[in-house]
Amino acid sequence: MISKSSGMLGIIELAEGLSERTPVQGREGSLLNPATFGLPIITEIVQGAFAEKRVMRGNPLLEGACVTAAQRLVERGASVIVGDCGF
């Protein structure tokens, strides 16, 4: 278990989700719900990461953008980094 003193949970997000994406921030157990892991949450969008066009097809050109988003999360205080749906 991660303690609250561990910092923040950084989430790498898609630039655009699937067309019928449902907001889940308040849902119990959701990745975007701070109560799920007991940590404050910060997010960064991966530029160019569109679900149907690039992420789900495994476009290697997104690697640099993913690394950049992760580095921004670390700079902002993330001690743990995860990806939202599609990563």
Side-chain angles (χ1 to χ4, degrees):
M1 175 96 188
I2 302 167
S3 71
K4 288 187 180 185
S5 64
S6 298
M8 291 185 271
L9 174 64
I11 302 174
I12 297 174
E13 293 193 272
L14 298 173
E16 181 183 304
L18 297 170
S19 55
E20 295 297 321
R21 190 169 177 175
T22 306
V24 294
Q25 290 87 341
R27 190 178 307 150
E28 185 177 330
S30 165
L31 184 65
L32 296 172
N33 184 334
T36 300
F37 297 105
L39 289 173
I41 293 172
I42 54 176
T43 63
E44 282 288 339
I45 293 174
V46 175
Q47 297 304 313
F50 300 100
E52 290 107 350
K53 296 177 184 173
R54 299 213 174 133
V55 175
M56 292 171 72
R57 293 181 184 165
N59 188 327
L61 297 176
L62 290 176
E63 181 179 350
C66 288
V67 170
T68 298
Q71 289 170 333
R72 286 193 307 258
L73 287 168
V74 169
E75 290 168 4
R76 293 174 56 203
S79 54
V80 177
I81 299 175
V82 299
D84 72 353
C85 182
F87 282 92

